[in-house]
Amino acid sequence: MRGIMLSLALCLVPFFGLSESLTYRLDPESEALFTVSDNFLSVAYDTWLLYAADFSNPQFLQLVKLLSPMYFRIGGTTADIVIFVDDSNTEQVHIRDDDVIILTASYWLELTEFAKKAGVRILFDLNSLTRNEDGSWNSENAEQLIRFSRENDIDLDWELGNEPDIYYLTFNTSVSANQLAQDYNKLRALLDQYEYDSSYVVGPSMFDVGNGEGTKAYLREFLSGASSSIYAVSWHQYYFSGLTATEADFLNTDYFNFLEERTKVVTGIVGSSNKVWLAETSSCNNRGAEGKSDRFLASFLWLDKLGLTAKLGVDLLVRQTIWGYNYPLLNNEYGPNSDWWISILHKKVVGSTVIPLTNDGEDSRPVRLYAQCAKSDSLWGDEAVVVFGLNLADSPQTFTLSGIGASDVDVSIGYLFELTPETDLYSNNVRLNGEVLSLTEDLELPDLTPKYVGQKNYKDLKDMLYQGSILFLDANQKASGADLGLLLIDVLIKSEDKSTEIWCRKLSTLFAKIGTTYATERDSFLVQAVKWSSLGSSRGDPALHQYIAKVYWDELNYNQARHHYIHSQDGKNCAKLLIEFQMTKGFKCEIDLFVAQAVLQFLCLRNQITASQTFTTYTENHPTIKKTEPPYLLPLLNFLWFLLQALETKKLQTFAVLCEQYQKSLERDPCYLQYLDKIGQLFFGLKPPQPKKSGGLFGSLIDNFLEGLEDGSDDDDESARGNPAPSTSRQLLESADLD
């Protein structure tokens, strides 16, 4: 299926197979291809949308902030009709006509304050078409804005004009490359005059470079006159028109390769003289394709652009647009579209150093991969490589990823971020490793936990995950700690680890550290831990239940502690818990009830030894009882003692008489009758009760007993089952008086 993949590994991802001789070779030891800007992934806000977005909206602010650090470019075609007006002493300003947009000082302060709060840096595109009669740039209005910005301590970087190479189409005018170079030199001098000497100037923001010799010549001429005045050479790129775009266009490898062609033209002209910025870009121009360029369908082009431009030496790219039109990262309600999630994951995982990654396939290949150093993370450390890319085919594709540096590098640990649409290619929502991504109620990111892949060296990985979880939990990062704990359990399952006792103890330590405040995370962790320890059964390992019970006991959660002791084999501590539970929470008349239910439940789980241990420890240590054998003052305790002895005889007659004699005591809790029916079936051959018969449990016991007499003697029946001869305790049961 078509999907986007970010697979992260320590120097190598060794978990793919060979298909159609497609091999990628990773060489992390060779010299880096490029190191891109920390602001590599940046966004734009179109000047035509000034006053349209709500910059006071807290969700808008938060979702921009989550993408920081980056540039927040304010520009576009209509940048060349923007006029700055200081409205400090004016009641009202007419802000828009067809041929002019007024940028008021008050709105400029609102914009820049938004950027400051979001932790992003503004790149502002000045109006280049305020011209003098001789064709030179009239900088008076720009100077007003620069002066006002300096007076208000606003730090930002600058452009001058938008797509001057097609002014003849957009404004029926033209500015030569030589004149534009002089204008940029003038802007640089103006900024220096107002102590903006550390601010960057970026240009010429051409629409396209390479669609003809004229555009190449325009860029060369501009650089010959303004190279020293600009920090980065900028141009714009779109794959096709949004007015005619089809689904097939978004998945056509020819269009993917078009970006490489154009980028090489620009970098070839610029050389090493300046940085190269792709200062405005998206899938398709003309404000995007409605219902397509803001969906998962367009995410293939976006992620490929992030990888390919870095590989080709582009220092920074600006996504058109953060909000508005048909290709935004955020929808009209400031919620995230699929490309916003792609951008977030890229920001979280992908570092700035580009690593060589070559392949032996054709440019039309459906699998496209890129490699960069990974950002440091507690999970994979600070020496990892992220290999990311996409599969354009409508079926799974496999490939070989080869090449390793030092022989002592551990390549067995890998992590996978697999991004797929929630439903289909036209989804706005994204799944990460199968789970739909959504913001928390507090507008924070969900836990973006990768899936572990590659399963050769489990020991180090398990230890790393355990220690990482401990570090998070001790730092009060409970959710992250629980996530690592779940990842640890997943590895335990896949590695088929048989060290159950060791990991039961360690998992209970994590369970205790998660604490009671994070109930949802804790419950999920416990469910998965029990599932891992069950080894095919539904109950889980008794050792795990024993450790979990002790955690709950320490928290004075007696009900949960009792529940887990019932599934353990620790009768002594179960009894001690029951004594404390009864004396703390129970009534005096319930002394026998607390132990009776536990003993009967143990027997229903076929745990005869633990049932006996629990009863003995309880009666020996409860301060009101303090006896090791009957007669007890409480009839129910005598019944339990005789029942435990009767289990050795397995004679239905003895069991039936015992239940009949103590019927009054057993009726104190209706559950006892259900437990005894089950015990009769498990230990005494009692048939399941027939629904149509009356008489209840005791009627069933008598009926089964009579049927047994008709079938033959008890001794013959015992012999057929291979039961041992009567023991001393059996004789005692048969001769003892029943109260």
Side-chain angles (χ1 to χ4, degrees):
M1 65 181 296
R2 293 188 178 101
I4 290 173
M5 174 196 66
L6 282 89
S7 52
L8 189 145
L10 294 180
C11 293
L12 184 64
V13 187
F15 43 83
F16 298 105
L18 181 65
S19 175
E20 300 179 355
S21 299
L22 181 58
T23 302
Y24 282 85
R25 177 169 180 79
L26 178 70
D27 191 359
E29 284 202 325
S30 66
E31 185 177 349
L33 290 176
F34 300 101
T35 300
V36 299
S37 169
D38 291 336
N39 298 316
F40 173 75
L41 195 167
S42 294
V43 301
Y45 181 70
D46 198 274
T47 49
W48 183 251
L49 298 171
L50 291 177
Y51 305 100
D54 181 5
F55 285 96
S56 65
N57 185 291
Q59 179 162 315
F60 189 19
L61 174 65
Q62 175 66 358
L63 269 64
V64 171
K65 185 176 183 179
L66 288 171
L67 289 171
S68 65
M70 66 175 180
Y71 274 99
F72 193 85
R73 181 199 186 226
I74 301 174
T77 301
T78 52
D80 286 305
I81 63 171
V82 171
I83 299 296
F84 174 74
V85 172
D86 188 346
D87 61 343
S88 303
N89 300 314
T90 305
E91 292 185 3
Q92 187 173 2
V93 176
H94 182 67
I95 61 173
R96 186 185 294 269
D97 285 318
D98 290 339
D99 57 354
V100 66
I101 298 174
I102 300 299
L103 174 63
T104 64
S106 56
Y107 187 69
W108 178 240
L109 291 175
E110 181 182 345
L111 280 174
T112 55
E113 182 63 20
F114 175 88
K116 183 178 180 181
K117 289 180 179 178
V120 298
R121 186 175 179 87
I122 287 180
L123 174 64
F124 188 77
D125 193 359
L126 292 165
N127 186 342
S128 171
L129 292 182
T130 53
R131 292 282 152 180
N132 298 312
E133 290 185 2
D134 62 358
S136 62
W137 178 48
N138 186 328
S139 61
E140 290 182 6
N141 190 252
E143 185 172 358
Q144 293 176 36
L145 176 59
I146 293 169
R147 183 190 307 114
F148 180 85
S149 299
R150 172 48 66 210
E151 290 171 351
N152 287 274
D153 295 324
I154 300 170
D155 288 325
L156 72 160
D157 296 321
W158 308 84
E159 290 180 292
L160 179 58
N162 187 83
E163 300 174 354
D165 51 321
I166 58 170
Y167 276 163
Y168 67 95
L169 292 175
T170 53
F171 296 105
N172 194 29
T173 189
S174 62
V175 176
S176 69
N178 179 61
Q179 179 60 59
L180 189 65
Q182 296 178 47
D183 301 335
Y184 266 83
N185 293 334
K186 185 175 183 179
L187 173 60
R188 178 71 269 172
L190 190 61
L191 292 171
D192 293 345
Q193 176 185 335
Y194 284 95
E195 298 181 353
Y196 271 117
D197 48 293
S198 61
S199 289
Y200 294 152
V201 174
V202 179
S205 293
M206 292 177 63
F207 171 71
D208 190 16
V209 180
N211 65 343
E213 289 301 321
T215 58
K216 299 177 186 178
Y218 192 99
L219 180 57
R220 291 192 185 98
E221 185 176 351
F222 170 80
L223 287 177
S224 68
S227 178
S228 61
S229 293
I230 62 173
Y231 173 77
V233 175
S234 62
W235 97 107
H236 303 168
Q237 183 271 335
Y238 296 87
Y239 297 97
F240 38 79
S241 171
L243 301 177
T244 59
T246 65
E247 178 182 311
D249 292 335
F250 285 88
L251 304 173
N252 188 335
T253 54
D254 289 341
Y255 283 120
F256 282 75
N257 297 329
F258 171 74
L259 172 61
E260 181 170 1
E261 174 191 328
R262 287 294 196 262
T263 303
K264 287 183 175 179
V265 170
V266 175
T267 56
I269 294 173
V270 175
S272 60
S273 61
N274 299 91
K275 299 286 188 181
V276 174
W277 286 12
L278 185 50
E280 182 186 307
T281 188
S282 191
S283 54
C284 41
N285 55 25
N286 290 307
R287 301 183 177 181
E290 184 177 1
K292 297 182 181 71
S293 50
D294 60 347
R295 309 302 167 91
F296 193 87
L297 175 65
S299 294
F300 299 93
L301 285 169
W302 179 229
L303 185 61
D304 188 73
K305 182 172 291 184
L306 291 171
L308 183 56
T309 52
K311 176 183 176 181
L312 296 174
V314 175
D315 185 56
L316 181 147
L317 59 82
V318 178
R319 168 61 183 260
Q320 176 83 351
T321 176
I322 184 65
W323 180 88
Y325 301 146
N326 294 316
Y327 43 32
L329 295 183
L330 305 178
N331 61 34
N332 288 340
E333 289 74 38
Y334 309 103
N337 286 326
S338 59
D339 280 2
W340 185 86
W341 288 110
I342 302 295
S343 304
I344 282 291
L345 199 57
H346 187 278
K347 287 276 188 178
K348 172 182 171 65
V349 176
V350 181
S352 58
T353 303
V354 183
I355 303 296
L357 181 66
T358 57
N359 73 87
D360 60 359
E362 301 295 329
D363 288 340
S364 60
R365 65 196 183 280
V367 175
R368 301 171 68 92
L369 297 181
Y370 306 96
Q372 292 177 227
C373 287
K375 288 187 176 178
S376 179
D377 188 275
S378 60
L379 190 60
W380 50 74
D382 56 3
E383 295 184 355
V385 170
V386 57
V387 176
F388 65 98
L390 51 141
N391 172 25
L392 291 171
D394 57 4
S395 61
Q397 301 289 308
T398 55
F399 55 90
T400 298
L401 182 59
S402 65
I404 184 169
S407 59
D408 60 346
V409 176
D410 182 5
V411 299
S412 61
I413 303 172
Y415 306 94
L416 179 68
F417 299 87
E418 184 177 13
L419 297 163
T420 53
E422 181 183 17
T423 53
D424 56 27
L425 292 177
Y426 291 89
S427 294
N428 291 101
N429 295 327
V430 176
R431 294 181 184 272
L432 173 59
N433 295 331
E435 298 295 325
V436 177
L437 293 173
S438 61
L439 298 169
T440 68
E441 292 182 0
D442 297 329
L443 301 178
E444 295 293 343
L445 293 175
D447 289 319
L448 302 174
T449 304
K451 180 168 58 178
Y452 169 75
V453 288
Q455 304 168 7
K456 295 182 179 179
N457 183 3
Y458 286 106
K459 182 180 182 302
D460 290 343
L461 177 61
K462 287 181 289 190
D463 291 341
M464 180 184 69
L465 291 174
Y466 176 72
Q467 294 300 329
S469 181
I470 290 290
L471 288 173
F472 273 121
L473 294 172
D474 287 344
N476 205 34
Q477 300 293 319
K478 303 294 187 179
S480 297
D483 284 337
L484 282 187
L486 288 171
L487 191 57
L488 168 62
I489 294 171
D490 185 54
V491 174
L492 287 171
I493 293 173
K494 292 176 180 177
S495 66
E496 300 179 355
D497 195 307
K498 305 299 183 182
S499 307
T500 309
E501 173 69 22
I502 295 174
W503 284 109
C504 283
R505 175 172 50 80
K506 289 186 174 182
L507 292 180
S508 70
T509 299
L510 297 181
F511 178 78
K513 287 180 176 290
I514 294 172
T516 59
T517 304
Y518 287 76
T520 301
E521 290 83 354
R522 199 185 206 204
D523 290 346
S524 298
F525 177 85
L526 181 56
V527 167
Q528 293 305 313
V530 172
K531 179 181 178 181
W532 159 75
S533 72
S534 63
L535 299 178
S537 71
S538 59
R539 298 174 188 168
D541 191 277
L544 178 63
H545 285 293
Q546 178 182 348
Y547 287 124
I548 297 297
K550 183 60 171 64
V551 173
Y552 278 126
W553 189 0
D554 291 340
E555 296 171 353
L556 302 182
N557 189 337
Y558 295 116
N559 282 320
Q560 286 297 329
R562 180 194 174 284
H563 167 78
H564 286 279
Y565 271 130
I566 292 298
H567 291 280
S568 76
Q569 295 175 352
D570 187 0
K572 290 184 178 180
N573 279 315
C574 180
K576 293 176 182 178
L577 167 78
L578 293 172
I579 293 171
E580 183 178 318
F581 193 5
Q582 190 279 318
M583 296 182 67
T584 304
K585 303 292 185 180
F587 297 102
K588 187 175 182 180
C589 63
E590 297 175 329
I591 292 175
D592 51 348
L593 299 182
F594 274 75
V595 68
Q597 189 178 62
V599 169
L600 296 177
Q601 288 178 343
F602 274 125
L603 294 177
C604 287
L605 294 173
R606 301 177 184 267
N607 200 341
Q608 181 179 346
I609 295 175
T610 309
S612 179
Q613 189 181 57
T614 300
F615 178 81
T616 301
T617 305
Y618 187 90
T619 54
E620 285 181 352
N621 293 278
H622 197 292
T624 306
I625 304 173
K626 288 287 186 180
K627 292 197 67 174
T628 59
E629 59 184 21
Y632 298 101
L633 293 178
L634 301 172
L636 191 56
L637 296 181
N638 290 317
F639 168 79
L640 293 173
W641 190 88
F642 287 123
L643 175 63
L644 292 170
Q645 308 307 311
L647 294 177
E648 298 184 17
T649 71
K650 293 184 172 56
K651 292 184 68 173
L652 179 59
Q653 177 186 10
T654 303
F655 179 61
V657 171
L658 184 60
C659 292
E660 186 72 25
Q661 289 293 320
Y662 283 93
Q663 179 175 355
K664 184 176 181 180
S665 295
L666 294 173
E667 288 176 346
R668 292 170 64 193
D669 187 338
C671 291
Y672 293 166
L673 305 184
Q674 299 175 36
Y675 296 148
L676 289 169
D677 184 67
K678 182 69 174 179
I679 291 168
Q681 296 173 44
L682 293 174
F683 293 96
F684 298 100
L686 179 67
K687 297 178 180 179
Q690 300 297 320
K692 295 183 179 180
K693 292 184 178 181
S694 61
L697 169 68
F698 299 109
S700 297
L701 288 170
I702 297 301
D703 290 340
N704 276 277
F705 173 57
L706 293 175
E707 289 177 11
L709 290 178
E710 292 173 359
D711 293 338
S713 69
D714 289 329
D715 291 338
D716 291 341
D717 189 52
E718 282 179 15
S719 176
R721 293 194 299 267
N723 284 344
S727 64
T728 304
S729 61
R730 172 181 170 183
Q731 296 170 1
L732 174 61
L733 176 61
E734 292 175 339
S735 61
D737 292 331
L738 303 178
D739 45 40

mmCIF file of all heavy atoms in Angstrom, residues 443-462:
data_model
loop_
_atom_site.group_PDB
_atom_site.id
_atom_site.type_symbol
_atom_site.label_atom_id
_atom_site.label_comp_id
_atom_site.label_asym_id
_atom_site.label_seq_id
_atom_site.Cartn_x
_atom_site.Cartn_y
_atom_site.Cartn_z
ATOM 1 N N LEU A 443 -3.738 20.793 23.643
ATOM 2 C CA LEU A 443 -3.088 21.173 22.387
ATOM 3 C C LEU A 443 -1.609 20.812 22.372
ATOM 4 O O LEU A 443 -0.794 21.484 21.732
ATOM 5 C CB LEU A 443 -3.262 22.678 22.105
ATOM 6 C CG LEU A 443 -4.697 23.169 22.005
ATOM 7 C CD1 LEU A 443 -4.721 24.687 21.766
ATOM 8 C CD2 LEU A 443 -5.449 22.452 20.885
ATOM 9 N N GLU A 444 -1.270 19.747 23.061
ATOM 10 C CA GLU A 444 0.099 19.244 23.017
ATOM 11 C C GLU A 444 0.164 18.048 22.066
ATOM 12 O O GLU A 444 -0.852 17.454 21.709
ATOM 13 C CB GLU A 444 0.558 18.824 24.417
ATOM 14 C CG GLU A 444 0.655 19.971 25.415
ATOM 15 C CD GLU A 444 1.757 20.975 25.087
ATOM 16 O OE1 GLU A 444 2.652 20.617 24.279
ATOM 17 O OE2 GLU A 444 1.727 22.082 25.628
ATOM 18 N N LEU A 445 1.376 17.715 21.666
ATOM 19 C CA LEU A 445 1.553 16.565 20.792
ATOM 20 C C LEU A 445 1.258 15.271 21.531
ATOM 21 O O LEU A 445 1.540 15.155 22.726
ATOM 22 C CB LEU A 445 2.992 16.518 20.269
ATOM 23 C CG LEU A 445 3.433 17.626 19.320
ATOM 24 C CD1 LEU A 445 4.918 17.465 19.013
ATOM 25 C CD2 LEU A 445 2.622 17.602 18.037
ATOM 26 N N PRO A 446 0.694 14.294 20.835
ATOM 27 C CA PRO A 446 0.583 12.968 21.440
ATOM 28 C C PRO A 446 1.973 12.342 21.521
ATOM 29 O O PRO A 446 2.944 12.888 20.982
ATOM 30 C CB PRO A 446 -0.317 12.216 20.461
ATOM 31 C CG PRO A 446 -0.012 12.849 19.147
ATOM 32 C CD PRO A 446 0.234 14.314 19.449
ATOM 33 N N ASP A 447 2.074 11.214 22.180
ATOM 34 C CA ASP A 447 3.347 10.515 22.225
ATOM 35 C C ASP A 447 3.631 9.911 20.855
ATOM 36 O O ASP A 447 2.877 9.062 20.375
ATOM 37 C CB ASP A 447 3.318 9.412 23.288
ATOM 38 C CG ASP A 447 3.325 9.990 24.692
ATOM 39 O OD1 ASP A 447 4.068 10.950 24.916
ATOM 40 O OD2 ASP A 447 2.583 9.483 25.545
ATOM 41 N N LEU A 448 4.697 10.388 20.226
ATOM 42 C CA LEU A 448 5.069 9.918 18.888
ATOM 43 C C LEU A 448 6.102 8.801 19.051
ATOM 44 O O LEU A 448 7.280 8.956 18.745
ATOM 45 C CB LEU A 448 5.625 11.075 18.055
ATOM 46 C CG LEU A 448 4.670 12.267 17.887
ATOM 47 C CD1 LEU A 448 5.368 13.421 17.161
ATOM 48 C CD2 LEU A 448 3.413 11.849 17.135
ATOM 49 N N THR A 449 5.635 7.677 19.564
ATOM 50 C CA THR A 449 6.528 6.568 19.877
ATOM 51 C C THR A 449 6.723 5.683 18.658
ATOM 52 O O THR A 449 5.745 5.249 18.043
ATOM 53 C CB THR A 449 5.953 5.724 21.021
ATOM 54 O OG1 THR A 449 5.719 6.570 22.146
ATOM 55 C CG2 THR A 449 6.915 4.619 21.415
ATOM 56 N N PRO A 450 7.952 5.382 18.298
ATOM 57 C CA PRO A 450 8.181 4.525 17.128
ATOM 58 C C PRO A 450 7.947 3.061 17.456
ATOM 59 O O PRO A 450 7.831 2.660 18.618
ATOM 60 C CB PRO A 450 9.660 4.776 16.814
ATOM 61 C CG PRO A 450 10.262 5.083 18.148
ATOM 62 C CD PRO A 450 9.207 5.845 18.912
ATOM 63 N N LYS A 451 7.904 2.272 16.409
ATOM 64 C CA LYS A 451 7.782 0.827 16.550
ATOM 65 C C LYS A 451 9.164 0.220 16.386
ATOM 66 O O LYS A 451 9.895 0.567 15.468
ATOM 67 C CB LYS A 451 6.807 0.289 15.497
ATOM 68 C CG LYS A 451 6.606 -1.207 15.541
ATOM 69 C CD LYS A 451 5.415 -1.626 14.682
ATOM 70 C CE LYS A 451 5.567 -1.197 13.238
ATOM 71 N NZ LYS A 451 4.455 -1.643 12.395
ATOM 72 N N TYR A 452 9.489 -0.695 17.289
ATOM 73 C CA TYR A 452 10.805 -1.350 17.201
ATOM 74 C C TYR A 452 10.806 -2.351 16.056
ATOM 75 O O TYR A 452 9.880 -3.118 15.875
ATOM 76 C CB TYR A 452 11.128 -2.048 18.518
ATOM 77 C CG TYR A 452 12.335 -2.943 18.413
ATOM 78 C CD1 TYR A 452 13.619 -2.403 18.375
ATOM 79 C CD2 TYR A 452 12.199 -4.326 18.331
ATOM 80 C CE1 TYR A 452 14.725 -3.218 18.249
ATOM 81 C CE2 TYR A 452 13.294 -5.146 18.208
ATOM 82 C CZ TYR A 452 14.556 -4.587 18.170
ATOM 83 O OH TYR A 452 15.641 -5.392 18.042
ATOM 84 N N VAL A 453 11.901 -2.349 15.272
ATOM 85 C CA VAL A 453 12.067 -3.320 14.198
ATOM 86 C C VAL A 453 13.511 -3.801 14.188
ATOM 87 O O VAL A 453 14.415 -3.126 14.673
ATOM 88 C CB VAL A 453 11.728 -2.706 12.823
ATOM 89 C CG1 VAL A 453 10.244 -2.497 12.665
ATOM 90 C CG2 VAL A 453 12.464 -1.413 12.595
ATOM 91 N N GLY A 454 13.714 -4.978 13.630
ATOM 92 C CA GLY A 454 15.054 -5.556 13.640
ATOM 93 C C GLY A 454 15.256 -6.262 14.961
ATOM 94 O O GLY A 454 15.190 -5.660 16.006
ATOM 95 N N GLN A 455 15.492 -7.584 14.951
ATOM 96 C CA GLN A 455 15.400 -8.342 16.184
ATOM 97 C C GLN A 455 16.568 -9.319 16.326
ATOM 98 O O GLN A 455 16.377 -10.512 16.401
ATOM 99 C CB GLN A 455 14.071 -9.099 16.223
ATOM 100 C CG GLN A 455 12.883 -8.172 16.052
ATOM 101 C CD GLN A 455 11.599 -8.914 15.790
ATOM 102 O OE1 GLN A 455 11.549 -10.129 15.856
ATOM 103 N NE2 GLN A 455 10.553 -8.191 15.486
ATOM 104 N N LYS A 456 17.762 -8.805 16.356
ATOM 105 C CA LYS A 456 18.909 -9.683 16.474
ATOM 106 C C LYS A 456 19.556 -9.586 17.853
ATOM 107 O O LYS A 456 19.895 -10.575 18.450
ATOM 108 C CB LYS A 456 19.937 -9.361 15.388
ATOM 109 C CG LYS A 456 19.431 -9.649 13.977
ATOM 110 C CD LYS A 456 20.495 -9.353 12.949
ATOM 111 C CE LYS A 456 20.001 -9.653 11.542
ATOM 112 N NZ LYS A 456 21.024 -9.345 10.519
ATOM 113 N N ASN A 457 19.752 -8.414 18.341
ATOM 114 C CA ASN A 457 20.404 -8.225 19.627
ATOM 115 C C ASN A 457 19.397 -7.612 20.603
ATOM 116 O O ASN A 457 19.294 -6.403 20.739
ATOM 117 C CB ASN A 457 21.616 -7.311 19.458
ATOM 118 C CG ASN A 457 22.368 -7.132 20.769
ATOM 119 O OD1 ASN A 457 22.018 -7.732 21.779
ATOM 120 N ND2 ASN A 457 23.383 -6.296 20.739
ATOM 121 N N TYR A 458 18.637 -8.512 21.266
ATOM 122 C CA TYR A 458 17.561 -8.032 22.124
ATOM 123 C C TYR A 458 18.052 -7.583 23.496
ATOM 124 O O TYR A 458 17.455 -6.708 24.103
ATOM 125 C CB TYR A 458 16.520 -9.138 22.324
ATOM 126 C CG TYR A 458 15.655 -9.380 21.121
ATOM 127 C CD1 TYR A 458 15.837 -10.507 20.330
ATOM 128 C CD2 TYR A 458 14.651 -8.488 20.776
ATOM 129 C CE1 TYR A 458 15.036 -10.741 19.233
ATOM 130 C CE2 TYR A 458 13.843 -8.702 19.679
ATOM 131 C CZ TYR A 458 14.041 -9.839 18.908
ATOM 132 O OH TYR A 458 13.257 -10.060 17.819
ATOM 133 N N LYS A 459 19.112 -8.199 23.987
ATOM 134 C CA LYS A 459 19.509 -7.939 25.364
ATOM 135 C C LYS A 459 19.783 -6.464 25.613
ATOM 136 O O LYS A 459 19.224 -5.864 26.544
ATOM 137 C CB LYS A 459 20.747 -8.764 25.727
ATOM 138 C CG LYS A 459 21.192 -8.574 27.177
ATOM 139 C CD LYS A 459 22.420 -9.410 27.490
ATOM 140 C CE LYS A 459 22.817 -9.232 28.954
ATOM 141 N NZ LYS A 459 23.085 -7.837 29.315
ATOM 142 N N ASP A 460 20.625 -5.855 24.783
ATOM 143 C CA ASP A 460 20.959 -4.442 24.983
ATOM 144 C C ASP A 460 19.734 -3.559 24.823
ATOM 145 O O ASP A 460 19.560 -2.575 25.541
ATOM 146 C CB ASP A 460 22.047 -4.018 23.991
ATOM 147 C CG ASP A 460 23.391 -4.651 24.307
ATOM 148 O OD1 ASP A 460 23.564 -5.145 25.438
ATOM 149 O OD2 ASP A 460 24.262 -4.663 23.416
ATOM 150 N N LEU A 461 18.893 -3.919 23.857
ATOM 151 C CA LEU A 461 17.698 -3.115 23.622
ATOM 152 C C LEU A 461 16.769 -3.160 24.825
ATOM 153 O O LEU A 461 16.247 -2.123 25.259
ATOM 154 C CB LEU A 461 16.978 -3.600 22.366
ATOM 155 C CG LEU A 461 15.670 -2.875 22.050
ATOM 156 C CD1 LEU A 461 15.912 -1.380 21.825
ATOM 157 C CD2 LEU A 461 15.004 -3.482 20.832
ATOM 158 N N LYS A 462 16.553 -4.343 25.374
ATOM 159 C CA LYS A 462 15.659 -4.463 26.531
ATOM 160 C C LYS A 462 16.199 -3.684 27.719
ATOM 161 O O LYS A 462 15.445 -2.977 28.408
ATOM 162 C CB LYS A 462 15.455 -5.937 26.881
ATOM 163 C CG LYS A 462 14.570 -6.683 25.896
ATOM 164 C CD LYS A 462 14.359 -8.130 26.273
ATOM 165 C CE LYS A 462 15.599 -8.965 26.072
ATOM 166 N NZ LYS A 462 15.345 -10.408 26.204
#
